[in-house]
Amino acid sequence: MTTILKLGGSVITDKETPETVDDDALGRAVDAVAESDVSGLVLVHGAGSFGHHYADKHGVTPSNGSRDAAGIWAIHDSMRRLNDEVVRRLQEADVPALPVHPLSVGARDADSTLSLAADSTATMLAEGFVPVLHGDVIAQIDAGATIISGDELVAHLAREVDADRVGLCSTVPGVYDESGAVVPRITDLDDVADALGGAETTDVTGGMAAKVRALLELGAPASIFGPDVLDGFLAGHSVGTVVDG
Ligand code: IP8
């Protein structure tokens, strides 16, 4: 059984203050992982108040690359420092966490298709470690380096490691319907197209609609939920919104 869990950047950092870990929130997430008996866990975390600031400063996005090595390193370095902290806290709680830095093990080709040396993550998993990846910069053919988000890593890894379950722990408790209630299950984008602003507009507006569309194509059930039910997700319960195409 393999589970991929993404901890959103805004869950584990203080978004208002640059480069600040939300110690309490990270501590609660670490405790939930440490106290669960989930085996075969891959963790991915986002940037929060770390990488985005440097990505903006150096004008690097998922589609706009840069060849400025110092700028690319500044973005990566901030994410590596956040990752160091996440891995350190997990290890302190006796979780056998090890870092995997996408910049060092992956690349995109000219049409943006991602390849990751998934051997690294898969071998760590097979050996009983908990690989911890993060949103990062990544070299891209003909573009220098571009941003790779945690969500994109989750979608890629779900196929590479043949995940059985995927969880996205974010600051919202799930996908809301038009009345503001959390939708328990989505099997088709049409189920929530009205609430999300219409399927046609999703690529432009991004946000939750783009997330749901990507999750519908995963081939594994994916849950979107808030931090207060992370322990329930890790215990195998249905929490938040389950997206299952
Ligand atoms: O927070 C963004 O990852 P995300 C990564 O998962 C960088 O979107 C470096 C800005």
Side-chain angles (χ1 to χ4, degrees):
M1 174 93 172
T2 302
T3 302
I4 300 180
L5 169 65
K6 182 190 170 198
L7 297 173
S10 42
V11 172
I12 58 168
T13 71
D14 174 356
K15 283 276 265 196
E16 305 308 313
T17 321
E19 303 223 12
T20 307
V21 172
D22 184 332
D23 280 324
D24 292 344
L26 177 59
R28 285 191 291 275
V30 164
D31 287 349
V33 171
E35 283 159 20
S36 76
D37 54 11
V38 67
S39 63
L41 180 65
V42 178
L43 281 173
V44 177
H45 64 80
S49 61
F50 283 72
H52 289 295
H53 166 70
Y54 293 94
D56 284 351
K57 183 169 166 195
H58 295 283
V60 189
T61 71
S63 56
N64 190 46
S66 166
R67 291 195 165 77
D68 169 16
I72 293 163
W73 185 74
I75 301 166
H76 172 72
D77 183 49
S78 77
M79 289 308 300
R80 212 200 52 245
R81 280 183 278 118
L82 175 58
N83 183 259
D84 284 351
E85 184 62 12
V86 174
V87 170
R88 186 181 69 76
R89 298 276 293 266
L90 285 162
Q91 287 205 3
E92 274 175 10
D94 289 333
V95 176
L98 288 176
V100 178
H101 303 303
L103 175 62
S104 308
V105 296
R108 287 189 208 271
D109 59 19
D111 73 1
S112 237
T113 306
L114 174 67
S115 64
L116 270 188
D119 285 8
S120 143
T121 300
T123 307
M124 284 185 192
L125 263 181
E127 293 300 312
F129 298 111
V130 172
V132 187
L133 296 93
H134 54 89
D136 204 351
V137 261
I138 196 158
Q140 177 165 341
I141 292 174
D142 292 337
T146 51
I147 297 290
I148 176 150
S149 72
D151 284 357
E152 196 180 343
L153 288 167
V154 167
H156 185 85
L157 286 166
R159 294 183 191 94
E160 291 287 336
V161 301
D162 200 13
D164 300 286
R165 291 178 87 218
V166 170
L168 300 181
C169 179
S170 68
T171 46
V172 290
V175 179
Y176 296 116
D177 68 14
E178 289 139 299
S179 69
V182 171
V183 180
R185 193 171 193 85
I186 298 172
T187 54
D188 193 302
L189 197 57
D190 287 343
D191 297 352
V192 284
D194 289 345
L196 296 178
E200 296 310 314
T201 61
T202 52
D203 284 346
V204 186
T205 55
M208 193 58 93
K211 199 177 276 228
V212 170
R213 174 177 286 172
L215 294 178
L216 282 166
E217 288 165 12
L218 279 192
S223 308
I224 301 172
F225 55 88
D228 50 330
V229 292
L230 176 54
D231 50 352
F233 171 78
L234 291 168
H237 303 149
S238 255
V239 293
T241 299
V242 179
V243 182
D244 194 356

